[in-house]
Amino acid sequence: LEVKDLSLLHQHSIQDKQNLLSPLLDPKKRRAFHLCYDNFVTSFCIPLLHSLAMEPQIFTNSSSSRNNHQPHEPQRVCYRYQAFPCLRVIRPGEFSIGPHCDMAYGHSMGNINFHIPLTPTFGTNAMYAESHPGREDWHPLKTKSVGLGFSFDGARCLHFTLENTTHQTRVSLDFRIAIHRDKGAPSLSSHIHNSDMMMRHSIRNDDDEEEIDVHDTLCNWKMLKDNFSTFPGYYDEAYVDLGAHSTMSHFNPGPVVHKGDDFGLKDPDKRVGFPF
């Protein structure tokens, strides 16, 4: 955007945001940004989630990992992440979105939200969220320095923005990551309504018992299905190999996080919203 301070983006000579962010529509011009985002997710966010999950031994505290895993068969934990982030540019006097949880928009209940401000956030230019579903203890996700971000249960926790009455623009990235075990699950291409997804995970039936490990704290393939996995393009995937013996101290040599079969960058899906 050729500006030194994104918080002063409202002073840019181009006032129309669609025109202002039009360089992102050019694959060559957006490639550096897209690579930076993908590296940030796979080199920082996923290892962070993985380390947080290792502490309570989430990867080994399921009957499937104890009973169904072959002794010399590598076990992988997969991370499905948004292939391109949602971009938020909230200038003084602008409003973004009212109170909502992401499941209301068809997102998976297994998604973990990441909110990464690229400018200082404070007062009414910050996003507000509750700390637990239904708690309604609204608090701003505020930062004084660029590089501080947040992860939260945006699938179930209400979050929203207010009219930006400050004198600074907020620019931020929002994206989602889900953790699941690689078990050769069925394709996620079939459509499922979000209301069906909620019902299937509120009521246990005999058919689900054979397909889903109810003791596994990671997402199962039914949980991953949402309105954004109906067609490919919105999500990308990476994985961590837990090693041949599935012990948390044994990792194969090489990178901790591996990309999926498609090592390239996916074209931004129009479902990420503005400016696509």
Side-chain angles (χ1 to χ4, degrees), residues 178-240:
I179 312 174
H180 65 100
R181 203 178 303 277
D182 182 11
K183 298 180 181 177
S187 171
L188 300 179
S189 60
S190 58
H191 180 71
I192 182 171
H193 291 287
N194 210 49
S195 58
D196 294 337
M197 180 181 67
M198 295 175 69
M199 288 296 294
R200 290 189 183 190
H201 291 87
S202 301
I203 302 174
R204 177 181 170 185
N205 57 53
D206 294 336
D207 293 336
D208 289 340
E209 187 172 5
E210 293 182 358
E211 301 174 10
I212 295 175
D213 178 5
V214 296
H215 301 292
D216 197 346
T217 52
L218 299 184
C219 291
N220 54 61
W221 65 268
K222 286 188 176 181
M223 203 177 207
L224 286 171
K225 285 184 176 180
D226 62 13
N227 294 347
F228 294 82
S229 61
T230 305
F231 301 101
Y234 191 83
Y235 293 117
D236 204 341
E237 195 163 86
Y239 67 90
V240 175

Side-chain angles (χ1 to χ4, degrees), residues 5 17-18 24 38-39 41 57 81 83-84 99 107 147 165 176 191 233 247 262 265 268:
D5 188 347
K17 285 199 291 188
Q18 187 70 40
L24 289 173
D38 197 78
N39 288 334
V41 172
Q57 298 183 334
Y81 65 95
F84 197 86
H107 284 283
T165 59
R176 301 158 183 90
H191 180 71
T247 61
D262 184 3
L265 299 174

Side-chain angles (χ1 to χ4, degrees), residues 261-272:
D261 295 333
D262 184 3
F263 292 94
L265 299 174
K266 297 181 182 295
D267 290 334
D269 191 288
K270 65 179 181 180
R271 291 171 289 178
V272 303

Side-chain angles (χ1 to χ4, degrees), residues 44-64:
F44 179 80
C45 297
I46 291 177
L48 173 64
L49 283 179
H50 197 80
S51 63
L52 292 174
M54 284 175 62
E55 185 175 355
Q57 298 183 334
I58 285 178
F59 302 130
T60 56
N61 285 344
S62 72
S63 59
S64 61

Side-chain angles (χ1 to χ4, degrees), residues 76-200:
R76 302 197 307 184
V77 172
C78 295
Y79 291 83
R80 188 186 71 177
Y81 65 95
Q82 205 167 308
F84 197 86
C86 299
L87 305 174
R88 315 295 187 194
V89 179
I90 314 301
R91 299 178 295 196
E94 293 182 338
F95 164 82
S96 177
I97 193 168
H100 70 285
C101 62
D102 286 1
M103 285 186 69
Y105 290 96
H107 284 283
S108 166
M109 66 189 301
N111 282 343
I112 300 170
N113 286 48
F114 280 76
H115 174 66
I116 311 296
L118 303 182
T119 57
T121 56
F122 58 96
T124 57
N125 80 357
M127 177 188 290
Y128 284 72
E130 58 182 348
S131 61
H132 189 274
R135 189 163 291 175
E136 299 185 359
D137 54 345
W138 318 116
H139 57 280
L141 305 184
K142 55 184 180 179
T143 64
K144 293 183 179 180
S145 304
V146 177
L148 299 178
F150 303 87
S151 61
F152 65 102
D153 185 4
R156 301 183 301 159
C157 288
L158 287 172
H159 50 287
F160 60 92
T161 63
L162 302 170
E163 179 185 353
N164 183 5
T165 59
T166 74
H167 298 291
Q168 293 190 22
T169 294
R170 169 171 57 92
V171 180
S172 59
L173 308 180
D174 293 280
F175 54 93
R176 301 158 183 90
I177 302 177
I179 312 174
H180 65 100
R181 203 178 303 277
D182 182 11
K183 298 180 181 177
S187 171
L188 300 179
S189 60
S190 58
H191 180 71
I192 182 171
H193 291 287
N194 210 49
S195 58
D196 294 337
M197 180 181 67
M198 295 175 69
M199 288 296 294
R200 290 189 183 190

